[in-house]
Amino acid sequence: MANIAVLSSGRGSNLQAIIDSVESGFIPRSRIVAVISDKEDAYALERAKSHKIEAIHLDPKAYMTRQEYDQKVADLLIKRKTDLILLAGYMRIVTPVLLNAFKNKVLNIHPALLPSFPGLCAQKQALEWGVKVTGCTVHFVDAEVDHGPIIIQAAVPVLEEDKEEDLAKRILEQEHLIYPQAIQWFVEGRLRIVDRRVKIRGVKQAGRALRVL
Ligand code: GRF
């Protein structure tokens, strides 16, 4: 059984896709042991509670440094025998304190085709740059923001009439597909990092690790 923890700061639609995929068995032999949020009013915490998942609010103001905060997160997750940590709309930068405690066990989803448009407001950045294709990326987390080895990406076309929220909505639909897919591969033990590249055992990469609409 893989013990999964999700860190989220907001509405938690990716969390919901993950919960649904665990419940349906698409993500096999797994359970979500905790959802942690830095925001007390994060809807993600409500989603967790309604599925009887432990929901924990950890207030950053109670900690002197980001490292102390992450040590608390690490302690909680070690106690719950966590095998995999998923960042899903988690608005804090994760420090090596957490990453070293869970080496190559932290994943993130980003709403752009990395390495383009890292950081905040990726959909707005893509629109303003004028790209014709953007998308989303699931990657291993390393000490740099939106930087670690890429597991899967989905490409989404930018339409002439797109406003930021239109584009964000179409990207989000793909996020809800590729995050569960990456997690399935992880818990099935298919992922191996070789230099910066993620090898996916048993999967023909060209066909499966890139979704094109
Ligand atoms: C998503 O667009 C995700 O890619 C980004 O933050 C957003 C979170 O949305 N990291 P939600 O909370 O999962 O609905």
Side-chain angles (χ1 to χ4, degrees):
M1 195 51 103
N3 290 332
I4 296 173
V6 181
L7 273 46
S8 175
S9 302
R11 84 194 142 177
S13 72
N14 277 287
L15 166 67
Q16 189 65 54
I18 295 162
I19 292 172
D20 294 345
S21 300
V22 168
E23 289 183 352
S24 74
F26 180 77
I27 298 172
R29 297 178 299 282
S30 300
R31 62 179 162 224
I32 302 176
V33 291
V35 171
I36 298 181
S37 183
D38 55 324
K39 297 273 192 295
E40 193 171 13
D41 59 355
Y43 189 57
L45 292 175
E46 300 308 315
R47 292 185 196 265
K49 285 179 209 157
S50 67
H51 287 262
K52 309 228 178 316
I53 296 166
E54 186 181 14
I56 302 170
H57 168 234
L58 271 190
D59 187 353
K61 291 199 284 294
Y63 301 85
M64 294 288 282
T65 62
R66 286 199 284 131
Q67 286 74 9
E68 272 180 38
Y69 185 90
D70 277 1
Q71 188 60 59
K72 178 67 185 177
V73 174
D75 291 346
L76 285 170
L77 296 186
I78 290 166
K79 218 177 190 167
R80 286 158 184 75
K81 300 192 183 332
T82 303
D83 301 298
L84 173 62
I85 300 175
L86 303 169
L87 309 185
Y90 187 56
M91 300 309 284
R92 293 176 65 81
I93 292 172
V94 175
T95 66
V97 170
L98 186 60
L99 296 176
N100 292 340
F102 290 90
K103 201 166 166 25
N104 293 335
K105 290 180 178 174
V106 185
L107 308 187
N108 180 43
I109 184 146
H110 182 73
L113 292 175
L114 291 173
S116 292
F117 312 126
L120 294 175
C121 306
Q123 303 94 333
K124 182 158 178 265
Q125 291 185 54
L127 269 184
E128 286 177 353
W129 194 263
V131 293
K132 303 297 185 194
V133 178
T134 182
C136 46
T137 303
V138 179
H139 63 93
F140 283 96
V141 175
D142 66 13
E144 289 178 52
V145 173
D146 300 327
H147 176 272
I150 289 169
I151 300 167
I152 185 170
Q153 296 185 299
V156 174
V158 180
L159 306 180
E160 194 77 22
E161 62 278 14
D162 269 348
K163 302 266 183 301
E164 189 186 337
E165 48 288 5
D166 306 316
L167 184 57
K169 183 165 175 278
R170 290 207 311 289
I171 293 173
L172 196 63
E173 285 167 14
Q174 295 303 307
E175 295 183 36
H176 297 163
L177 298 174
I178 67 169
Y179 213 175
Q181 178 61 83
I183 299 161
Q184 183 203 69
W185 287 337
F186 184 98
V187 303
E188 288 179 348
R190 292 179 191 274
L191 302 179
R192 193 163 53 92
I193 303 172
V194 183
D195 302 323
R196 268 204 60 90
R197 300 177 81 173
V198 177
K199 307 275 183 197
I200 308 166
R201 186 168 46 78
V203 173
K204 287 203 175 56
Q205 192 149 350
R208 296 291 298 282
L210 169 66
R211 286 181 58 89
V212 184
L213 284 189

PDB file of all heavy atoms in Angstrom, residues 8-16 44 47 87-91 108-112 123 136-137 146 168 171-172 175-176, ligand 1:
ATOM      1  N   SER A   8      -1.647  21.383  -0.431  1.00  0.00           N
ATOM      2  CA  SER A   8      -2.430  22.273  -1.294  1.00  0.00           C
ATOM      3  C   SER A   8      -2.762  23.554  -0.542  1.00  0.00           C
ATOM      4  O   SER A   8      -3.028  23.527   0.658  1.00  0.00           O
ATOM      5  CB  SER A   8      -3.731  21.566  -1.721  1.00  0.00           C
ATOM      6  OG  SER A   8      -4.549  22.442  -2.446  1.00  0.00           O
ATOM      7  N   SER A   9      -2.783  24.667  -1.271  1.00  0.00           N
ATOM      8  CA  SER A   9      -3.095  25.953  -0.631  1.00  0.00           C
ATOM      9  C   SER A   9      -4.469  26.487  -0.986  1.00  0.00           C
ATOM     10  O   SER A   9      -4.870  27.528  -0.471  1.00  0.00           O
ATOM     11  CB  SER A   9      -2.066  27.017  -1.060  1.00  0.00           C
ATOM     12  OG  SER A   9      -0.759  26.626  -0.732  1.00  0.00           O
ATOM     13  N   GLY A  10      -5.174  25.811  -1.896  1.00  0.00           N
ATOM     14  CA  GLY A  10      -6.371  26.478  -2.401  1.00  0.00           C
ATOM     15  C   GLY A  10      -7.544  25.574  -2.681  1.00  0.00           C
ATOM     16  O   GLY A  10      -7.901  24.708  -1.884  1.00  0.00           O
ATOM     17  N   ARG A  11      -8.088  25.723  -3.909  1.00  0.00           N
ATOM     18  CA  ARG A  11      -9.387  25.098  -4.193  1.00  0.00           C
ATOM     19  C   ARG A  11      -9.286  23.579  -4.288  1.00  0.00           C
ATOM     20  O   ARG A  11     -10.249  22.864  -4.086  1.00  0.00           O
ATOM     21  CB  ARG A  11      -9.992  25.703  -5.451  1.00  0.00           C
ATOM     22  CG  ARG A  11      -9.500  25.095  -6.723  1.00  0.00           C
ATOM     23  CD  ARG A  11      -9.795  25.855  -7.963  1.00  0.00           C
ATOM     24  NE  ARG A  11      -8.596  25.683  -8.783  1.00  0.00           N
ATOM     25  CZ  ARG A  11      -8.441  26.142  -9.998  1.00  0.00           C
ATOM     26  NH1 ARG A  11      -9.378  26.858 -10.541  1.00  0.00           N
ATOM     27  NH2 ARG A  11      -7.332  25.901 -10.650  1.00  0.00           N
ATOM     28  N   GLY A  12      -8.130  23.048  -4.673  1.00  0.00           N
ATOM     29  CA  GLY A  12      -7.933  21.601  -4.602  1.00  0.00           C
ATOM     30  C   GLY A  12      -8.601  20.779  -5.687  1.00  0.00           C
ATOM     31  O   GLY A  12      -8.957  19.620  -5.458  1.00  0.00           O
ATOM     32  N   SER A  13      -8.718  21.333  -6.894  1.00  0.00           N
ATOM     33  CA  SER A  13      -9.330  20.507  -7.954  1.00  0.00           C
ATOM     34  C   SER A  13      -8.393  19.355  -8.355  1.00  0.00           C
ATOM     35  O   SER A  13      -8.867  18.259  -8.681  1.00  0.00           O
ATOM     36  CB  SER A  13      -9.731  21.348  -9.168  1.00  0.00           C
ATOM     37  OG  SER A  13      -8.609  21.771  -9.887  1.00  0.00           O
ATOM     38  N   ASN A  14      -7.095  19.591  -8.323  1.00  0.00           N
ATOM     39  CA  ASN A  14      -6.175  18.470  -8.594  1.00  0.00           C
ATOM     40  C   ASN A  14      -6.242  17.436  -7.476  1.00  0.00           C
ATOM     41  O   ASN A  14      -6.202  16.231  -7.737  1.00  0.00           O
ATOM     42  CB  ASN A  14      -4.735  18.979  -8.776  1.00  0.00           C
ATOM     43  CG  ASN A  14      -4.489  19.482 -10.184  1.00  0.00           C
ATOM     44  OD1 ASN A  14      -4.391  18.698 -11.130  1.00  0.00           O
ATOM     45  ND2 ASN A  14      -4.425  20.793 -10.341  1.00  0.00           N
ATOM     46  N   LEU A  15      -6.349  17.905  -6.242  1.00  0.00           N
ATOM     47  CA  LEU A  15      -6.551  16.973  -5.126  1.00  0.00           C
ATOM     48  C   LEU A  15      -7.765  16.100  -5.393  1.00  0.00           C
ATOM     49  O   LEU A  15      -7.718  14.882  -5.204  1.00  0.00           O
ATOM     50  CB  LEU A  15      -6.728  17.742  -3.814  1.00  0.00           C
ATOM     51  CG  LEU A  15      -7.272  16.916  -2.646  1.00  0.00           C
ATOM     52  CD1 LEU A  15      -6.258  15.864  -2.209  1.00  0.00           C
ATOM     53  CD2 LEU A  15      -7.665  17.811  -1.476  1.00  0.00           C
ATOM     54  N   GLN A  16      -8.856  16.736  -5.859  1.00  0.00           N
ATOM     55  CA  GLN A  16     -10.081  15.970  -6.114  1.00  0.00           C
ATOM     56  C   GLN A  16      -9.848  14.903  -7.184  1.00  0.00           C
ATOM     57  O   GLN A  16     -10.308  13.757  -7.046  1.00  0.00           O
ATOM     58  CB  GLN A  16     -11.208  16.919  -6.555  1.00  0.00           C
ATOM     59  CG  GLN A  16     -12.552  16.239  -6.617  1.00  0.00           C
ATOM     60  CD  GLN A  16     -13.021  15.789  -5.246  1.00  0.00           C
ATOM     61  OE1 GLN A  16     -13.080  16.596  -4.319  1.00  0.00           O
ATOM     62  NE2 GLN A  16     -13.332  14.507  -5.088  1.00  0.00           N
ATOM     63  N   ALA A  44      -9.403  22.787  -0.339  1.00  0.00           N
ATOM     64  CA  ALA A  44      -8.784  21.449  -0.374  1.00  0.00           C
ATOM     65  C   ALA A  44      -8.996  20.712   0.954  1.00  0.00           C
ATOM     66  O   ALA A  44      -9.214  19.488   0.977  1.00  0.00           O
ATOM     67  CB  ALA A  44      -7.292  21.558  -0.685  1.00  0.00           C
ATOM     68  N   ARG A  47     -12.447  19.300   0.975  1.00  0.00           N
ATOM     69  CA  ARG A  47     -12.532  18.120   0.095  1.00  0.00           C
ATOM     70  C   ARG A  47     -11.982  16.893   0.826  1.00  0.00           C
ATOM     71  O   ARG A  47     -12.558  15.803   0.746  1.00  0.00           O
ATOM     72  CB  ARG A  47     -11.722  18.344  -1.177  1.00  0.00           C
ATOM     73  CG  ARG A  47     -12.285  19.398  -2.102  1.00  0.00           C
ATOM     74  CD  ARG A  47     -11.440  19.419  -3.364  1.00  0.00           C
ATOM     75  NE  ARG A  47     -11.612  20.592  -4.186  1.00  0.00           N
ATOM     76  CZ  ARG A  47     -12.438  20.681  -5.240  1.00  0.00           C
ATOM     77  NH1 ARG A  47     -13.185  19.659  -5.584  1.00  0.00           N
ATOM     78  NH2 ARG A  47     -12.490  21.800  -5.942  1.00  0.00           N
ATOM     79  N   LEU A  87       2.535  17.938  -4.508  1.00  0.00           N
ATOM     80  CA  LEU A  87       2.212  19.356  -4.409  1.00  0.00           C
ATOM     81  C   LEU A  87       1.111  19.622  -5.432  1.00  0.00           C
ATOM     82  O   LEU A  87       1.269  19.275  -6.610  1.00  0.00           O
ATOM     83  CB  LEU A  87       3.444  20.220  -4.718  1.00  0.00           C
ATOM     84  CG  LEU A  87       4.734  19.877  -3.959  1.00  0.00           C
ATOM     85  CD1 LEU A  87       5.817  20.905  -4.277  1.00  0.00           C
ATOM     86  CD2 LEU A  87       4.506  19.780  -2.461  1.00  0.00           C
ATOM     87  N   ALA A  88       0.017  20.191  -4.980  1.00  0.00           N
ATOM     88  CA  ALA A  88      -1.116  20.423  -5.884  1.00  0.00           C
ATOM     89  C   ALA A  88      -1.676  21.810  -5.583  1.00  0.00           C
ATOM     90  O   ALA A  88      -2.486  21.971  -4.673  1.00  0.00           O
ATOM     91  CB  ALA A  88      -2.177  19.340  -5.691  1.00  0.00           C
ATOM     92  N   GLY A  89      -1.165  22.798  -6.293  1.00  0.00           N
ATOM     93  CA  GLY A  89      -1.562  24.165  -5.995  1.00  0.00           C
ATOM     94  C   GLY A  89      -1.041  24.602  -4.642  1.00  0.00           C
ATOM     95  O   GLY A  89      -1.709  25.311  -3.900  1.00  0.00           O
ATOM     96  N   TYR A  90       0.169  24.175  -4.320  1.00  0.00           N
ATOM     97  CA  TYR A  90       0.803  24.511  -3.039  1.00  0.00           C
ATOM     98  C   TYR A  90       1.662  25.745  -3.275  1.00  0.00           C
ATOM     99  O   TYR A  90       2.598  25.704  -4.083  1.00  0.00           O
ATOM    100  CB  TYR A  90       1.653  23.336  -2.570  1.00  0.00           C
ATOM    101  CG  TYR A  90       2.227  23.475  -1.178  1.00  0.00           C
ATOM    102  CD1 TYR A  90       1.400  23.702  -0.080  1.00  0.00           C
ATOM    103  CD2 TYR A  90       3.595  23.349  -0.957  1.00  0.00           C
ATOM    104  CE1 TYR A  90       1.921  23.801   1.192  1.00  0.00           C
ATOM    105  CE2 TYR A  90       4.134  23.432   0.320  1.00  0.00           C
ATOM    106  CZ  TYR A  90       3.289  23.670   1.391  1.00  0.00           C
ATOM    107  OH  TYR A  90       3.806  23.762   2.651  1.00  0.00           O
ATOM    108  N   MET A  91       1.316  26.834  -2.596  1.00  0.00           N
ATOM    109  CA  MET A  91       1.909  28.124  -2.947  1.00  0.00           C
ATOM    110  C   MET A  91       3.184  28.448  -2.164  1.00  0.00           C
ATOM    111  O   MET A  91       3.637  29.591  -2.171  1.00  0.00           O
ATOM    112  CB  MET A  91       0.866  29.242  -2.745  1.00  0.00           C
ATOM    113  CG  MET A  91      -0.377  29.063  -3.609  1.00  0.00           C
ATOM    114  SD  MET A  91       0.011  28.787  -5.356  1.00  0.00           S
ATOM    115  CE  MET A  91       0.451  30.456  -5.829  1.00  0.00           C
ATOM    116  N   ASN A 108       5.191  17.621  -8.434  1.00  0.00           N
ATOM    117  CA  ASN A 108       4.439  18.876  -8.551  1.00  0.00           C
ATOM    118  C   ASN A 108       3.775  18.923  -9.920  1.00  0.00           C
ATOM    119  O   ASN A 108       4.247  18.283 -10.869  1.00  0.00           O
ATOM    120  CB  ASN A 108       5.393  20.064  -8.422  1.00  0.00           C
ATOM    121  CG  ASN A 108       4.683  21.404  -8.527  1.00  0.00           C
ATOM    122  OD1 ASN A 108       3.602  21.602  -7.937  1.00  0.00           O
ATOM    123  ND2 ASN A 108       5.245  22.333  -9.277  1.00  0.00           N
ATOM    124  N   ILE A 109       2.686  19.690  -9.992  1.00  0.00           N
ATOM    125  CA  ILE A 109       2.079  19.961 -11.297  1.00  0.00           C
ATOM    126  C   ILE A 109       2.140  21.460 -11.552  1.00  0.00           C
ATOM    127  O   ILE A 109       1.906  22.270 -10.652  1.00  0.00           O
ATOM    128  CB  ILE A 109       0.632  19.433 -11.398  1.00  0.00           C
ATOM    129  CG1 ILE A 109       0.102  19.652 -12.806  1.00  0.00           C
ATOM    130  CG2 ILE A 109      -0.298  20.065 -10.365  1.00  0.00           C
ATOM    131  CD1 ILE A 109      -0.831  18.597 -13.311  1.00  0.00           C
ATOM    132  N   HIS A 110       2.506  21.791 -12.799  1.00  0.00           N
ATOM    133  CA  HIS A 110       2.660  23.199 -13.166  1.00  0.00           C
ATOM    134  C   HIS A 110       1.874  23.470 -14.451  1.00  0.00           C
ATOM    135  O   HIS A 110       1.965  22.687 -15.400  1.00  0.00           O
ATOM    136  CB  HIS A 110       4.150  23.518 -13.375  1.00  0.00           C
ATOM    137  CG  HIS A 110       4.376  24.954 -13.713  1.00  0.00           C
ATOM    138  ND1 HIS A 110       4.254  25.956 -12.780  1.00  0.00           N
ATOM    139  CD2 HIS A 110       4.668  25.566 -14.884  1.00  0.00           C
ATOM    140  CE1 HIS A 110       4.471  27.116 -13.361  1.00  0.00           C
ATOM    141  NE2 HIS A 110       4.723  26.913 -14.643  1.00  0.00           N
ATOM    142  N   PRO A 111       1.124  24.594 -14.492  1.00  0.00           N
ATOM    143  CA  PRO A 111       0.258  24.829 -15.656  1.00  0.00           C
ATOM    144  C   PRO A 111       0.960  25.487 -16.845  1.00  0.00           C
ATOM    145  O   PRO A 111       0.501  26.491 -17.379  1.00  0.00           O
ATOM    146  CB  PRO A 111      -0.838  25.725 -15.075  1.00  0.00           C
ATOM    147  CG  PRO A 111      -0.156  26.483 -13.998  1.00  0.00           C
ATOM    148  CD  PRO A 111       0.881  25.559 -13.420  1.00  0.00           C
ATOM    149  N   ALA A 112       2.075  24.905 -17.279  1.00  0.00           N
ATOM    150  CA  ALA A 112       2.768  25.341 -18.503  1.00  0.00           C
ATOM    151  C   ALA A 112       3.674  24.198 -18.932  1.00  0.00           C
ATOM    152  O   ALA A 112       3.907  23.246 -18.172  1.00  0.00           O
ATOM    153  CB  ALA A 112       3.596  26.597 -18.258  1.00  0.00           C
ATOM    154  N   GLN A 123      -0.252  30.712 -16.978  1.00  0.00           N
ATOM    155  CA  GLN A 123      -1.175  30.835 -18.118  1.00  0.00           C
ATOM    156  C   GLN A 123      -1.138  32.257 -18.673  1.00  0.00           C
ATOM    157  O   GLN A 123      -1.142  32.459 -19.888  1.00  0.00           O
ATOM    158  CB  GLN A 123      -2.613  30.481 -17.675  1.00  0.00           C
ATOM    159  CG  GLN A 123      -2.760  29.090 -17.064  1.00  0.00           C
ATOM    160  CD  GLN A 123      -2.664  29.103 -15.553  1.00  0.00           C
ATOM    161  OE1 GLN A 123      -2.024  29.979 -14.937  1.00  0.00           O
ATOM    162  NE2 GLN A 123      -3.279  28.122 -14.910  1.00  0.00           N
ATOM    163  N   CYS A 136       0.655  21.691 -19.598  1.00  0.00           N
ATOM    164  CA  CYS A 136       0.954  21.446 -18.193  1.00  0.00           C
ATOM    165  C   CYS A 136       1.992  20.333 -18.072  1.00  0.00           C
ATOM    166  O   CYS A 136       2.180  19.542 -19.001  1.00  0.00           O
ATOM    167  CB  CYS A 136      -0.309  21.114 -17.399  1.00  0.00           C
ATOM    168  SG  CYS A 136      -1.404  19.921 -18.182  1.00  0.00           S
ATOM    169  N   THR A 137       2.628  20.307 -16.916  1.00  0.00           N
ATOM    170  CA  THR A 137       3.778  19.424 -16.689  1.00  0.00           C
ATOM    171  C   THR A 137       3.706  18.825 -15.293  1.00  0.00           C
ATOM    172  O   THR A 137       3.462  19.564 -14.330  1.00  0.00           O
ATOM    173  CB  THR A 137       5.089  20.249 -16.774  1.00  0.00           C
ATOM    174  OG1 THR A 137       5.163  20.903 -18.044  1.00  0.00           O
ATOM    175  CG2 THR A 137       6.316  19.373 -16.551  1.00  0.00           C
ATOM    176  N   ASP A 146       9.934  24.817  -9.994  1.00  0.00           N
ATOM    177  CA  ASP A 146       9.430  24.312 -11.281  1.00  0.00           C
ATOM    178  C   ASP A 146      10.564  23.816 -12.180  1.00  0.00           C
ATOM    179  O   ASP A 146      10.630  24.163 -13.375  1.00  0.00           O
ATOM    180  CB  ASP A 146       8.601  25.404 -12.001  1.00  0.00           C
ATOM    181  CG  ASP A 146       7.400  25.836 -11.184  1.00  0.00           C
ATOM    182  OD1 ASP A 146       6.844  24.985 -10.466  1.00  0.00           O
ATOM    183  OD2 ASP A 146       7.024  27.012 -11.251  1.00  0.00           O
ATOM    184  N   ALA A 168      -6.729  28.809 -18.813  1.00  0.00           N
ATOM    185  CA  ALA A 168      -6.492  28.111 -17.540  1.00  0.00           C
ATOM    186  C   ALA A 168      -7.446  26.922 -17.398  1.00  0.00           C
ATOM    187  O   ALA A 168      -7.050  25.843 -16.938  1.00  0.00           O
ATOM    188  CB  ALA A 168      -6.667  29.083 -16.375  1.00  0.00           C
ATOM    189  N   ILE A 171      -6.360  24.077 -19.690  1.00  0.00           N
ATOM    190  CA  ILE A 171      -5.143  23.447 -19.151  1.00  0.00           C
ATOM    191  C   ILE A 171      -5.511  22.579 -17.947  1.00  0.00           C
ATOM    192  O   ILE A 171      -5.036  21.443 -17.813  1.00  0.00           O
ATOM    193  CB  ILE A 171      -4.090  24.510 -18.761  1.00  0.00           C
ATOM    194  CG1 ILE A 171      -3.575  25.226 -20.019  1.00  0.00           C
ATOM    195  CG2 ILE A 171      -2.940  23.868 -17.991  1.00  0.00           C
ATOM    196  CD1 ILE A 171      -2.662  26.407 -19.730  1.00  0.00           C
ATOM    197  N   LEU A 172      -6.407  23.100 -17.090  1.00  0.00           N
ATOM    198  CA  LEU A 172      -6.784  22.375 -15.870  1.00  0.00           C
ATOM    199  C   LEU A 172      -7.388  21.006 -16.195  1.00  0.00           C
ATOM    200  O   LEU A 172      -7.117  20.022 -15.501  1.00  0.00           O
ATOM    201  CB  LEU A 172      -7.769  23.220 -15.047  1.00  0.00           C
ATOM    202  CG  LEU A 172      -7.962  22.807 -13.597  1.00  0.00           C
ATOM    203  CD1 LEU A 172      -6.670  22.929 -12.793  1.00  0.00           C
ATOM    204  CD2 LEU A 172      -9.050  23.672 -12.936  1.00  0.00           C
ATOM    205  N   GLU A 175      -4.582  18.851 -16.655  1.00  0.00           N
ATOM    206  CA  GLU A 175      -3.906  18.589 -15.373  1.00  0.00           C
ATOM    207  C   GLU A 175      -4.557  17.407 -14.670  1.00  0.00           C
ATOM    208  O   GLU A 175      -3.880  16.540 -14.107  1.00  0.00           O
ATOM    209  CB  GLU A 175      -3.964  19.819 -14.468  1.00  0.00           C
ATOM    210  CG  GLU A 175      -3.197  21.014 -14.988  1.00  0.00           C
ATOM    211  CD  GLU A 175      -3.223  22.180 -14.006  1.00  0.00           C
ATOM    212  OE1 GLU A 175      -3.188  21.946 -12.788  1.00  0.00           O
ATOM    213  OE2 GLU A 175      -3.276  23.333 -14.468  1.00  0.00           O
ATOM    214  N   HIS A 176      -5.904  17.410 -14.722  1.00  0.00           N
ATOM    215  CA  HIS A 176      -6.647  16.364 -13.997  1.00  0.00           C
ATOM    216  C   HIS A 176      -6.447  14.985 -14.628  1.00  0.00           C
ATOM    217  O   HIS A 176      -6.773  13.981 -14.006  1.00  0.00           O
ATOM    218  CB  HIS A 176      -8.134  16.729 -13.937  1.00  0.00           C
ATOM    219  CG  HIS A 176      -8.385  17.989 -13.172  1.00  0.00           C
ATOM    220  ND1 HIS A 176      -9.548  18.710 -13.255  1.00  0.00           N
ATOM    221  CD2 HIS A 176      -7.592  18.663 -12.299  1.00  0.00           C
ATOM    222  CE1 HIS A 176      -9.477  19.774 -12.465  1.00  0.00           C
ATOM    223  NE2 HIS A 176      -8.294  19.767 -11.877  1.00  0.00           N
TER     224      HIS A 176
HETATM  225  C1  GRF B   1      -3.154  24.385 -10.869  1.00  0.00           C
HETATM  226  O1  GRF B   1      -3.276  25.115 -12.054  1.00  0.00           O
HETATM  227  C2  GRF B   1      -1.763  23.824 -10.714  1.00  0.00           C
HETATM  228  O2  GRF B   1      -1.152  23.512 -11.918  1.00  0.00           O
HETATM  229  C3  GRF B   1      -1.035  24.992 -10.071  1.00  0.00           C
HETATM  230  O3  GRF B   1      -1.976  25.552  -9.186  1.00  0.00           O
HETATM  231  C4  GRF B   1      -3.291  25.270  -9.630  1.00  0.00           C
HETATM  232  C5  GRF B   1      -3.979  24.565  -8.510  1.00  0.00           C
HETATM  233  O4  GRF B   1      -5.334  24.311  -8.782  1.00  0.00           O
HETATM  234  N1  GRF B   1       0.189  24.530  -9.453  1.00  0.00           N
HETATM  235  P1  GRF B   1      -6.161  23.354  -7.823  1.00  0.00           P
HETATM  236  O5  GRF B   1      -6.013  23.892  -6.417  1.00  0.00           O
HETATM  237  O6  GRF B   1      -5.612  21.969  -7.958  1.00  0.00           O
HETATM  238  O7  GRF B   1      -7.579  23.460  -8.309  1.00  0.00           O
END
